[in-house]
Amino acid sequence: MSEASEPPEPADPPEPADPAEASTPRGPLPRLLEAVLGVGVDPELRATLQHIVDTAAELTGARHASLEATDPVHGTAGGGPTEFRAPEPPTAGQAAPSRLDVPVRVRDDTYGSLRLTGKREGGDFTAQDEQLVRVLATQAGIAIGNARLHETARQRERWIEGAAAVTTALLTGETAADALMTVAERARMLADASAGVILQPTDEGGMEIVTASTPDDPRGLVGTTIAPGSAVLEQLLGGEPVFVDDSATDPRMTTQVRHRFGPSMLLPLQAGGRLIGTLALPRRRGDRPYTSVEQLLATQFASQAALALVLADAQQRRERLAVFEDRDRIARDLHDLVVQRLFATGMMLESTQRRTADEEQDPEVHAMLGRAVEELRSTVQEVRTTIFALQQPPADAPTTFRGKVLRETAGAAAALGFQPSVQFTGPVDARLPAPVATRLLTALRAALAAATRRSGTTRVTVSIDATTTLPDGRPGVRLTVFDDGKGKPTAEAEGNDEPGTGTGTGTTMTWQSPLRTHP
C-alpha cells in the first residue's frame, strides 16, 4: 500500500491590480455606490448633502469635511452657505493639516466646494481620496440641480395658481379699489415680499402709491409719490420692469419710504398697450435678493393680473351699460305710456269738472273732481321726477342740481322709512346759480332732518319752483317742504338757511331766495 501523500499547501492569492479591489465588502467602492444611489432618495436636499459630506469624511478618513456654498442667493433650497461638520482642533505641536478642495458644479455654474481637512491617521490625501471626493462632488451637484428644478417647478405652480385665483376674484365683480388690493395682496404673498403696492400715474406726470398690502404698519405708504424727473420713472411709465438690489441705497429710488426696503421688483401692469400702473414688491433690508426665476415669474404674474384688471373693468362697464339701457327703457315706457295716459285722464276729468260747473251739479262732486285733477298733476310731476332719476348714473355722485336734491331725499328715506315726494317747476338746473343752489340744499337738508325727528310722519313732499316771483318783483326760487308729523311749527325765512312757516295739520317749511344776489 502506498501512503497517501500530504495535500499541497494552498498558493497565496495574486496581488490585485487595483488597490481598491482589496477593500472589504464595506470598503470605499460599496460605500461610494451606496452614497451615489442614495442621492435623490431623500426629498430634503439638506439631508442629501449631509449624507454626501458624511460619506466623504468616512471614505477618505478626513477629520473634517464641509460643503460650502459660495453663491448664497442661488445656493441650497434653504439658502446661504452651508457647513455640515465641525472641525476637530489640532493637538499641540501637530503639523498643519493637509487639505483637499473639490469644486461642486451645478451644470455650468460653480455652486461651492466640498472641502476636507486633515487625515485622522495622519499623512496627506491620496489620489484615490481625490477621485472619491470628485465623484461625491458630482453627485452633490446633481442633487442641487434637481432640487433647483423641483423648487422652480413648485414656484411656477404657485405663481400660476395665484394668477388664476386673482383672475377669478377680479371677474366676480369687485370694485376697482378691491381689485387692486387683491393683486397687491396675492403678489406680496407669492413673492415673500415685505409689501405689495400699486402705483398709478398722476396728472402731474409722476406716479403715486394708491394701494398697499403689508403685514407691517402701512402708514406712510399710500399717497407716497415718485416725482416727475426720477430716473426710474421713465422706465415705469414706459412699461419696463425695474429690479433693484437695495432700495435704500439705489440712486434711482427717490420716494420717502425707500429706506424701509431692500431688494425690490417694480413691474408694469400693462395689457393691450394700456398702462394701468406698476406693481412693486419690496423686501426688507437685508433679505436675500430676488432670483432670476422669481423675477421672470413675477413679471408674468403682473402681465396676467393686468389683463385680468382690464377684463374686469370691461365686464363692469358692460354691466353698467346694461343697467343704463334698462333704466332708459323704463324711463321711456313711463314717459310714453304712463305720463301720457295720466295726462289724458286729467284732461277728461277737467272737461267733466267744467261741465258739472256749467250744469250746476252737486258742488261736492265738482270739488272731488278738482281734487282728482290735482292728484293727477302731482302724480305726473312725481313720475317725471322718477324718469329723471332713472337717467342718472346710479353709482356716480350727481352733478346736476336735480340729482343732488334727489340724493338728499334718498338719504332721508332711509331714516323716514319711505321716499319723500319731489316736484320741480321750471328749469331748475339752468336757472339756479351755484351759490343759491348750495344754500337751498342746506335748507332742504335741515328741513328733512327736522321731519325725521317729528313723530308720526307718514308723508313728506318737497317742491322746488324756479319760476317764483318774490314780493319785491325779483325773480326767485322757492323751496317748500311739508311733512304731516307732529311737532312744533317753525318760522318763515327768506334767503337764509332757517326753516319757514308751519300749520296746524303738519309742518311746512318755506325757503326762498332771489336768483341773482346783489353785488
Side-chain angles (χ1 to χ4, degrees):
M1 272 178 80
S2 61
E3 292 184 1
S5 61
E6 297 217 2
E9 299 234 340
D12 292 331
E15 285 289 326
D18 189 343
E21 296 181 8
S23 304
T24 63
R26 296 297 295 172
L29 288 181
R31 287 289 290 124
L32 177 62
L33 180 61
E34 179 181 324
V36 171
L37 294 177
V39 172
V41 174
D42 195 323
E44 176 61 38
L45 174 63
R46 298 181 69 87
T48 299
L49 297 182
Q50 181 67 63
H51 176 65
I52 289 175
V53 171
D54 290 342
T55 302
E58 180 180 346
L59 294 181
T60 61
R63 293 184 13 249
H64 170 244
S66 65
L67 175 60
E68 299 179 1
T70 57
D71 183 4
V73 175
H74 300 86
T76 64
T82 304
E83 187 172 8
F84 291 95
R85 288 179 67 96
E88 296 179 6
T91 57
Q94 182 179 355
S98 60
R99 295 172 61 88
L100 180 60
D101 286 341
V102 175
V104 176
R105 301 183 64 83
V106 181
R107 295 181 177 85
D108 296 330
D109 300 328
T110 300
Y111 168 85
S113 62
L114 183 58
R115 179 172 301 161
L116 286 77
T117 307
K119 281 273 201 176
R120 296 192 191 97
E121 304 297 333
D124 297 328
F125 291 106
T126 65
Q128 182 183 9
D129 292 333
E130 183 176 357
Q131 184 178 8
L132 291 172
V133 174
R134 289 188 181 280
V135 173
L136 291 173
T138 301
Q139 295 307 308
I142 294 174
I144 295 169
N146 290 339
R148 285 183 180 178
L149 290 176
H150 179 65
E151 179 61 25
T152 299
R154 288 181 58 193
Q155 283 184 335
R156 190 179 301 276
E157 181 180 359
R158 288 195 298 268
W159 281 95
I160 291 175
E161 290 177 351
V166 165
T167 302
T168 302
L170 297 186
L171 295 180
T172 56
E174 291 186 339
T175 64
D178 291 339
L180 293 178
M181 179 57 76
T182 298
V183 173
E185 177 73 16
R186 184 57 67 108
R188 178 184 66 81
M189 293 187 294
L190 289 171
D192 190 25
S194 174
V197 301
I198 304 291
L199 299 96
Q200 290 186 323
T202 63
D203 296 336
E204 294 75 18
M207 297 198 84
E208 178 182 4
I209 296 179
V210 297
T211 301
S213 168
T214 175
D216 302 326
D217 187 359
R219 288 181 298 180
L221 287 178
V222 176
T224 299
T225 59
I226 300 178
S230 171
V232 74
L233 188 62
E234 296 182 6
Q235 294 179 261
L236 297 180
L237 293 178
E240 299 180 21
V242 177
F243 304 106
V244 178
D245 292 333
D246 188 356
S247 298
T249 58
D250 195 303
R252 296 175 297 173
M253 306 299 287
T254 59
T255 63
Q256 298 177 352
V257 296
R258 67 186 184 277
H259 63 278
R260 296 168 55 175
F261 304 112
S264 182
M265 295 187 289
L266 296 94
L267 312 169
L269 293 171
Q270 187 172 13
R274 174 186 172 190
L275 180 64
I276 301 173
T278 296
L279 170 64
L281 298 170
R283 283 176 172 166
R284 295 180 180 87
R285 295 206 68 187
D287 283 359
R288 65 179 181 86
Y290 287 104
T291 66
S292 58
V293 172
E294 290 174 324
Q295 293 174 355
L296 174 62
L297 294 176
T299 302
Q300 294 173 345
F301 172 89
S303 298
Q304 180 68 25
L307 179 60
L309 287 170
V310 171
L311 292 176
D313 181 65
Q315 175 177 289
Q316 292 176 0
R317 290 177 180 271
R318 287 194 300 269
E319 292 174 352
R320 285 196 296 269
L321 179 61
V323 172
F324 293 159
E325 291 176 347
D326 197 36
R327 291 162 69 96
D328 287 341
R329 178 187 59 79
I330 295 172
R332 286 194 303 270
D333 290 345
L334 286 173
H335 181 270
D336 297 341
L337 299 176
V338 178
V339 172
Q340 292 183 10
R341 289 181 180 179
L342 288 174
F343 186 75
T345 303
M347 293 288 289
M348 287 188 294
L349 287 175
E350 285 184 342
S351 176
T352 304
Q353 184 185 28
R354 284 194 297 269
R355 285 201 302 270
T356 57
D358 294 340
E359 298 173 2
E360 296 183 355
Q361 296 291 331
D362 188 349
E364 185 176 349
V365 174
H366 181 78
M368 290 177 61
L369 290 173
R371 287 195 296 271
V373 170
E374 290 300 323
E375 286 293 333
L376 281 175
R377 288 176 179 171
S378 177
T379 303
V380 169
Q381 288 286 347
E382 291 184 9
V383 171
R384 285 175 175 168
T385 298
T386 302
I387 293 173
F388 175 80
L390 287 171
Q391 294 171 342
Q392 297 298 308
D396 299 331
T399 57
T400 65
F401 176 74
R402 287 175 181 258
K404 293 176 181 178
V405 170
L406 295 175
R407 181 181 60 181
E408 295 295 337
T409 56
L416 292 168
F418 59 88
Q419 180 66 41
S421 170
V422 184
Q423 298 179 10
F424 296 97
T425 303
V428 292
D429 287 323
R431 298 196 66 181
L432 266 65
V436 175
T438 300
R439 291 161 54 207
L440 189 150
L441 288 173
T442 302
L444 173 61
R445 211 171 290 127
L448 292 174
T452 60
R453 292 194 297 267
R454 278 187 274 274
S455 62
T457 303
T458 61
R459 185 165 64 97
V460 175
T461 60
V462 177
S463 175
I464 299 175
D465 186 357
T467 63
T468 297
T469 300
L470 299 180
D472 59 5
R474 289 181 297 171
V477 59
R478 177 178 288 113
L479 166 68
T480 304
V481 180
F482 169 81
D483 70 87
D484 61 354
K486 298 177 181 179
K488 182 180 179 181
T490 54
E492 184 175 3
E494 176 182 346
N496 55 42
D497 298 338
E498 297 178 1
T501 59
T503 67
T505 58
T507 302
T508 301
M509 187 282 294
T510 302
W511 180 97
Q512 59 187 19
S513 171
L515 293 178
R516 293 180 179 84
T517 58
H518 294 292

